Amino acid sequence: MEQQKEIAPLRKENKNIISLEKGKIPPQAVDLEEAVLGAMMIDKKGVEEVIDILTADAFYKDSHRIIFEAIDQLFVGNQPIDLLTVSTQLRKNGKLDQAGGDFYLINLTQKISSSAHIEFHSRIILQKFIQRSLIKISNEIIEESYDETTDVFDLLDKAEAKLYEVTQGNIKKSSETAQSLVAQAKKRIQEIGGREGLSGLPTGFHKLDALTSGWQPSDLIIIAARPGMGKTAFVLSMARNIAIDANFGVALFSLEMSSVQLITRLISSETGLPSEKLRTGKLEQHEWEQLNVKVKDLEKAPLYIDDTPSLSIFDLRAKARRLSSQHGIKLIIIDYLQLMTAGGNGKGGGNREQEISTISRNLKALAKELEVPVIALSQLSRAVETRGTSKRPLLSDLRESGAIEQDADIVSFIYRPEYYKIEQWDDDEGTPTEGQAEFIVAKHRNGGLDNIRLKFLGKFGKFDNLEDGNMPFGELPSRMNDGEDSNDLTKHLPNGNAIFGAPFGSSANDDNDVPF
């Protein structure tokens, strides 16, 4: 009995030690931090190897964070990095004593003889930092989960956003110095110079690219039009140009049409086969051959389609983060904004305008978070139809326009006078409107405004540059590959990895862009 009494306190003591080791002392690698900092001060090559891996926040000790910041400042300023220059920089920052003084810096350099294995050591430091970040995030989530006043949907979104930051390895900093930002801007300007002046994603429409320099990262772009103008056809043409010609990943969230309907439109555009024929499946032998040849580039395109109906802004953000992490998408398209919801929590109030405000604000936040352009299609009000003279859209025609116009970096419209039986353009001498459309840039936060005319090929559901000739479909093969069934259209669609969403038969309303 006495022996049991003696063992009980020991068990309790051991339990406390285990708890202390697992839950109280944060993961750390102070010895490796010392080795990395010492190597950076004795060999600039070591700095180049780890400067893109580590940040000051990755270091556990405050003094190490301060020393790394000084080394980073010297590196950005293209200054020599050694024991003396680091000491001078720390003194200039007024933080030499906080870093441990000159004696501590000397001590760091004496602990290491070369920068060998510095990259391996820095990755261990980064792993410890990620572990500490996960512990911190988990504790915050646990604490907020116990709070009965916490909105569960907000909490889910916040938790996923924080975990996404950790996954991407870019835990957000509170601020950046002007020196660091200037260096980033100079690097970006140099990159732009090598890409014919395009700093963003090329849309494939030459005049639009010249005006915007391509769609810019972090921009929210609104493309609005009345039903029948060709909103879906335009973004599909653009998505095709970006995914196939430029080979950038595109995520398309379609709340109106099914994924198979969208891909069939793209097949019509890509092959030059009228959409009516694809809808009925009544193709001649040479048309099947044409389809089989022309669909190959589309099959390999980094295009990801999600046709979840009534998608909430919180679900969209979660899906977009996963696509960004797994597939590196560079553009997000939403078709269309008014079909989205602010979430099942009733957030946004009972007022639809407030709900649209919540959605547009979150779309802009998503563009900044993922650093990709986000394009949202939007409906226009019937005010366009009631105007007696010009039917050209105005900013005031946006439905629930206040928040959309405020949050968007670019607001644009699609206008086809031919739809209104207007046979000639109203601003020149008798130019026919048949087969033409106007892409109107009505708001451009970082550039100019313009009305850009494009070619509209209605039966193919395609927009093209007005100056381009007829669609080239290339030489057709004399016969199909042996063993292929010419009546099986579905086997020539992209594989399941390229399309997410509903299978054949999903119901979706069309906006009459093309007769599907």
Side-chain angles (χ1 to χ4, degrees):
M1 196 72 175
E2 289 179 3
Q3 188 176 3
Q4 287 179 347
K5 286 180 181 178
E6 289 175 2
I7 291 172
L10 287 173
R11 283 179 177 166
K12 188 176 180 182
E13 186 181 345
N14 287 336
K15 187 177 179 182
N16 288 337
I17 291 170
I18 291 169
S19 174
L20 182 69
E21 288 174 349
K22 288 189 175 179
K24 301 300 180 184
I25 299 177
Q28 56 187 283
V30 175
D31 53 341
L32 292 181
E33 291 181 11
E34 293 173 348
V36 166
L37 291 173
M40 291 173 84
M41 284 190 284
I42 66 171
D43 187 355
K44 189 177 180 181
K45 185 183 175 185
V47 180
E48 294 168 352
E49 287 188 34
V50 304
I51 202 72
D52 291 330
I53 299 172
L54 296 175
T55 63
D57 290 336
F59 289 86
Y60 180 70
K61 285 187 69 174
D62 289 339
S63 60
H64 292 170
R65 281 197 289 270
I66 293 168
I67 295 168
F68 183 86
E69 284 172 355
I71 293 173
D72 188 51
Q73 288 170 344
L74 291 169
F75 182 80
V76 170
N78 201 26
Q79 301 295 317
I81 297 171
D82 56 36
L83 178 61
L84 293 175
T85 56
V86 172
S87 174
T88 303
Q89 185 65 41
L90 286 167
R91 193 175 286 107
K92 183 179 175 182
N93 295 343
K95 294 183 177 180
L96 182 59
D97 290 338
Q98 289 176 260
D102 287 327
F103 179 76
Y104 189 68
L105 296 179
I106 294 167
N107 222 12
L108 290 177
T109 59
Q110 288 179 341
K111 288 189 174 183
I112 196 84
S113 59
S114 75
S115 63
H117 313 303
I118 188 172
E119 183 180 347
F120 182 76
H121 293 160
S122 66
R123 294 198 182 278
I124 294 174
I125 294 170
L126 183 63
Q127 288 171 21
K128 299 298 181 185
F129 171 54
I130 291 172
Q131 287 177 275
R132 294 197 301 274
S133 300
L134 289 173
I135 290 169
K136 180 175 179 287
I137 291 167
S138 301
N139 285 334
E140 289 173 356
I141 293 169
I142 290 168
E143 193 163 334
E144 291 189 50
S145 296
Y146 277 111
D147 185 352
E148 292 294 334
T149 64
T150 301
D151 188 296
V152 67
F153 293 100
D154 280 348
L155 183 58
L156 275 172
D157 187 61
K158 190 187 296 184
E160 186 155 31
K162 288 181 176 179
L163 289 172
Y164 175 80
E165 289 166 21
V166 174
T167 303
Q168 294 302 99
N170 57 352
I171 305 299
K172 289 184 179 177
K173 301 177 185 177
S174 57
S175 62
E176 290 187 79
T177 65
Q179 188 178 30
S180 170
L181 293 170
V182 167
Q184 290 177 42
K186 285 167 65 178
K187 184 178 179 183
R188 182 166 175 76
I189 292 166
Q190 287 177 340
E191 291 172 353
I192 294 167
R195 295 191 308 194
E196 299 180 355
L198 285 183
S199 55
L201 290 181
T203 65
F205 302 114
H206 308 322
K207 291 183 178 178
L208 179 58
D209 286 338
L211 180 68
T212 63
S213 295
W215 298 137
Q216 300 299 313
S218 305
D219 272 7
L220 173 60
I221 300 130
I222 300 295
I223 299 175
R226 288 293 295 156
M229 289 296 106
K231 297 185 299 296
T232 304
F234 178 81
V235 293
L236 282 177
S237 299
M238 183 177 59
R240 180 258 170 225
N241 295 340
I242 294 171
I244 295 179
D245 293 342
N247 198 34
F248 288 114
V250 177
L252 174 55
F253 293 91
S254 175
L255 287 80
E256 186 177 40
M257 298 178 64
S258 75
S259 55
V260 174
Q261 285 176 314
L262 288 173
I263 209 71
T264 308
R265 278 194 176 194
L266 279 169
I267 290 172
S268 174
S269 169
E270 196 69 8
T271 61
L273 297 171
S275 54
E276 295 91 339
K277 284 205 166 190
L278 294 179
R279 181 169 53 85
T280 60
K282 294 178 180 178
L283 302 182
E284 303 293 334
Q285 177 67 26
H286 73 278
E287 291 173 324
W288 277 109
E289 294 171 354
Q290 181 172 320
L291 187 150
N292 292 337
V293 170
K294 284 291 180 180
V295 85
K296 293 187 184 301
D297 287 340
L298 183 58
E299 287 178 334
K300 296 181 287 185
L303 178 63
Y304 308 92
I305 301 176
D306 186 311
D307 62 0
T308 306
S310 301
L311 190 66
S312 75
I313 184 61
F314 300 105
D315 288 339
L316 182 137
R317 288 178 69 167
K319 288 170 180 279
R321 288 184 191 116
R322 284 193 288 272
L323 284 168
S324 177
S325 177
Q326 294 170 10
H327 302 287
I329 57 168
K330 299 298 181 185
L331 175 68
I332 296 170
I333 301 172
I334 298 109
D335 182 12
Y336 59 92
L337 190 146
Q338 279 81 10
L339 291 179
M340 292 189 68
T341 64
N345 55 351
K347 190 167 180 177
N351 188 315
R352 179 57 180 164
E353 190 167 338
Q354 290 176 347
E355 194 173 18
I356 291 293
S357 174
T358 299
I359 292 168
S360 66
R361 189 168 58 248
N362 276 276
L363 288 178
K364 176 59 181 175
L366 179 65
K368 290 185 70 176
E369 179 185 339
L370 300 185
E371 294 186 351
V372 300
V374 172
I375 296 175
L377 301 189
S378 177
Q379 292 281 27
L380 289 176
S381 69
R382 285 194 172 92
V384 178
E385 316 287 349
T386 60
R387 282 200 288 271
T389 53
S390 174
K391 305 292 186 183
R392 188 175 274 107
L394 305 170
L395 283 171
S396 57
D397 296 325
L398 276 172
R399 288 171 66 177
E400 299 99 8
S401 64
I404 298 174
E405 187 180 336
Q406 177 182 321
D407 294 327
D409 297 281
I410 295 176
V411 178
S412 55
F413 304 111
I414 297 173
Y415 171 54
R416 289 198 299 115
E418 182 184 8
Y419 180 84
Y420 298 107
K421 307 291 190 279
I422 299 172
E423 296 181 355
Q424 295 180 346
W425 288 100
D426 56 6
D427 56 353
D428 55 25
E429 299 177 1
T431 305
T433 61
E434 184 180 0
Q436 292 188 13
E438 201 169 54
F439 189 84
I440 303 165
V441 180
K443 176 191 174 182
H444 190 186
R445 186 165 288 165
N446 301 306
L449 310 178
D450 200 0
N451 297 347
I452 298 165
R453 288 190 192 170
L454 299 170
K455 185 188 300 178
F456 178 66
L457 302 162
K459 70 177 180 178
F460 303 120
K462 177 175 180 175
F463 281 78
D464 208 343
N465 292 294
L466 192 60
E467 65 271 19
D468 287 354
N470 294 328
M471 291 173 60
F473 296 117
E475 296 295 326
L476 300 179
S478 59
R479 62 185 180 85
M480 294 180 66
N481 294 331
D482 293 336
E484 285 195 349
D485 181 2
S486 64
N487 294 316
D488 186 3
L489 171 62
T490 57
K491 71 185 271 188
H492 299 292
L493 292 177
N495 59 44
N497 293 330
I499 302 178
F500 301 101
F504 246 127
S506 297
S507 61
N509 296 322
D510 194 357
D511 67 357
N512 299 319
D513 290 340
V514 290
F516 253 61

